[in-house]
Amino acid sequence: MASLATRGKWSSRLGFILAAAGSAIGLGNIWRFPYTAGQYGGGAFILLYLVFVAAIGIPVLLAELSMGRNTERNAVGAFKALMPGSWWPWVGGLGVVTGFGILSFYSVIAGWTLYYAWESMIGKFGHRLDAAESGAILSDMTSDGGVMVFLTGLFLLLTALVVRRGVSAGIERTVKVLMPVFFAVLLILVVRSVTLPGASEGLSFLFSFDLSKLADPAAIGSALGQALFSLSIGMGAMITYGSYLSRDENLPGAGVTVAIFDTAIALVAGLMIFPAVFAMGGSPAAGPGLVFVTMPTVFGQMPAGGLIAFAFYALLAIAALTSTISLLEVIVAYFVDEKGWSRERATWSMTAACFALAIPSALSNGAVPFLTEMPGGGFLGLCNIVFGNWFLSIGAVFICLFVGWKWGVGKALAEMARGGGELPIGQVWGVMVRYVCPAAVLAVLIYSAITGRYL
Ligand code: TRP
């Protein structure tokens, strides 16, 4: 076991907030949130999403952070420290496996962003494209197995180069550069989008609350699943990041700040995408292709569209990188703390293992026919459902049950209060973690298992 003294630590509160916000803000915000909101009709879905973030996301986030900081351990070690000799550490083990699974398919999509950033740099998106031409660019890329495997590997390599250097010299130093760049570029793109003629239609799409759109229970499941995924909760990523947080810091304050950041960025991503899509006559309900098929047609019609396209895909790549870093860190922290491996060894061996698991996802869009026939669009789609929805939800249920019933609400609240920032509505939080959160997540899981509709 790595001794506590040699474990990493965030050097400041800002370092933690940027790293945790970097983990939370990712493809989930800029790719998945806009297209899901677009598919479920905009405003009403967004309202529901906000309710889930507040009522379920934030309580679970605080539960994870408290476990991490209290034990100063990784996802498995935290359960071991609080309940030695029990089966609970397996919940942490499930989290490590989930991290592996998410990292594998996430790196594939992250690799697409590198390709698109590159292609926009060499001028591919600076002119008018129709939807068919834009679709062909995506399918040409995804059906080229060599390119896909290369891009996935490249993204994993970038991730490993940061994680191998450790918590403050690697992760914190990187996010302190990347996150400000991210915010600046995002701001420029939003201003560009909302000042396009015709942008107001996009705004009213985002902010019109037509509650009848929520009659489909799948919308409810998607909003909840999205809240877990976007906040990086349900697999111990926030246990791990919380374990590097100093005792003197205000934990509830920092946790809520991260959640607000993440949610604000999802909304701002909507502000960046929908006004532009409507202004240029695209469809908001394009699904997963929204960012990779619809947006290039939008850029093609804008002045300086090539440059804007580059900024947009670079933004996505940055957001993805600060998220893959946190996914890899969960795995690496486990092997360093529990197995006594050096950080270097854990980083490279686990990156290689994850790359192996990512290859079928990288090839799942046409290059290997049998993989495309699986539900949800190939092996990548399957991994998204299994790891990104099911395992994450199961993990969230167990984390709530553990903190609410085993470790105890009182102890968790005491941990939160330790840095001087007592949670103002501690008893409400306790009720949420013990009853409301696990019941809600379980209900969605059961619905999805019975109906065969994915979260
Ligand atoms: N939250 C990230 C996003 O929105 C993805 C992510 C990073 C994640 N780390 C995680 C999701 C841990 C679940 C658990 O893109």
Side-chain angles (χ1 to χ4, degrees):
M1 290 233 293
S3 80
L4 290 182
T6 62
R7 275 186 113 248
K9 231 178 183 37
W10 308 116
S11 70
S12 64
R13 173 183 157 91
L14 181 69
F16 163 77
I17 289 179
L18 291 178
S23 166
I25 298 167
L27 297 173
N29 302 60
I30 308 179
W31 171 63
R32 196 166 126 154
F33 176 79
Y35 86 68
T36 332
Q39 282 175 323
Y40 290 111
F45 177 88
I46 294 173
L47 190 64
L48 187 66
Y49 175 76
L50 295 179
V51 171
F52 284 147
V53 166
I56 295 170
I58 292 180
V60 181
L61 177 64
L62 295 178
E64 282 200 28
L65 290 176
S66 319
M67 276 182 76
R69 188 171 73 171
N70 186 265
T71 59
E72 298 189 23
R73 285 274 162 243
N74 61 91
V76 175
F79 285 98
K80 262 192 205 164
L82 295 171
M83 200 65 44
S86 69
W87 57 269
W88 284 100
W90 286 96
V91 174
L94 177 76
V96 174
V97 170
T98 306
F100 231 92
I102 296 180
L103 182 56
S104 75
F105 77 81
Y106 200 93
S107 324
V108 176
I109 313 275
W112 298 6
T113 67
L114 293 181
Y115 180 91
Y116 272 70
W118 171 257
E119 292 291 311
S120 31
M121 212 158 64
I122 61 173
K124 200 158 195 169
F125 301 122
H127 52 85
R128 275 175 185 272
L129 287 171
D130 62 30
E133 288 165 331
S134 180
I137 294 176
L138 181 65
S139 61
D140 283 351
M141 175 193 73
T142 56
S143 57
D144 188 334
V147 168
M148 291 306 302
V149 171
F150 169 76
L151 291 168
T152 306
L154 181 61
F155 210 90
L156 282 168
L157 179 68
L158 291 174
T159 309
L161 287 174
V162 176
V163 170
R164 68 179 272 270
R165 310 201 55 168
V167 176
S168 59
I171 302 176
E172 186 171 349
R173 231 182 47 173
T174 306
V175 296
K176 278 187 170 162
V177 176
L178 291 184
M179 293 312 285
V181 174
F182 173 88
F183 293 129
V185 175
L186 183 64
L187 185 70
I188 294 170
L189 290 175
V190 171
V191 171
R192 170 68 280 200
S193 179
V194 298
T195 52
L196 286 168
S200 60
E201 243 184 287
L203 295 177
S204 54
F205 174 77
L206 270 175
F207 298 112
S208 67
F209 300 109
D210 176 359
L211 291 178
S212 69
K213 298 250 173 66
L214 293 180
D216 181 356
I220 300 174
S222 292
L224 183 54
Q226 176 64 22
L228 300 182
F229 187 84
S230 191
L231 291 171
S232 301
I233 51 183
M235 54 157 274
M238 290 299 171
I239 296 178
T240 309
Y241 270 23
S243 76
Y244 305 133
L245 181 63
S246 158
R247 300 248 180 261
D248 316 324
E249 300 294 354
N250 173 340
L251 187 152
V256 171
T257 306
V258 169
I260 290 175
F261 252 126
D262 181 60
T263 309
I265 297 296
L267 295 175
V268 171
L271 276 182
M272 165 174 69
I273 289 175
F274 291 115
V277 166
F278 277 90
M280 301 299 169
S283 161
L290 184 63
V291 157
F292 294 103
V293 179
T294 309
M295 288 309 280
T297 66
V298 171
F299 297 131
Q301 300 173 58
M302 285 182 180
L307 190 65
I308 294 175
F310 173 71
F312 179 76
Y313 293 111
L315 182 82
L316 272 163
I318 292 174
L321 183 61
T322 55
S323 296
T324 54
I325 287 170
S326 75
L327 289 160
L328 184 58
E329 178 61 23
V330 170
I331 306 165
V332 167
Y334 164 72
F335 283 97
V336 170
D337 284 355
E338 302 303 311
K339 303 288 173 199
W341 291 13
S342 71
R343 179 166 274 271
E344 197 81 29
R345 177 182 169 199
T347 304
W348 292 116
S349 57
M350 290 303 123
T351 302
C354 191
F355 181 50
L357 181 62
I359 288 176
S361 285
L363 298 178
S364 70
N365 280 276
V368 181
F370 82 91
L371 291 175
T372 52
E373 284 152 25
M374 290 187 188
F379 191 73
L380 191 156
L382 187 70
C383 286
N384 181 19
I385 292 158
V386 171
F387 298 111
N389 290 338
W390 292 349
F391 280 26
L392 218 50
S393 305
I394 295 169
V397 171
F398 279 112
I399 289 168
C400 289
L401 295 178
F402 181 79
V403 171
W405 299 93
K406 290 289 159 185
W407 183 32
V409 169
K411 286 190 186 137
L413 285 172
E415 178 57 46
M416 284 188 229
R418 209 147 147 175
E422 202 172 330
L423 189 65
I425 43 166
Q427 292 319 310
V428 177
W429 177 81
V431 172
M432 298 312 280
V433 173
R434 288 171 76 125
Y435 305 99
V436 180
C437 302
V441 178
L442 203 59
V444 167
L445 261 172
I446 291 172
Y447 167 79
S448 132
I450 291 175
T451 59
R453 294 186 69 170
Y454 308 115
L455 289 177

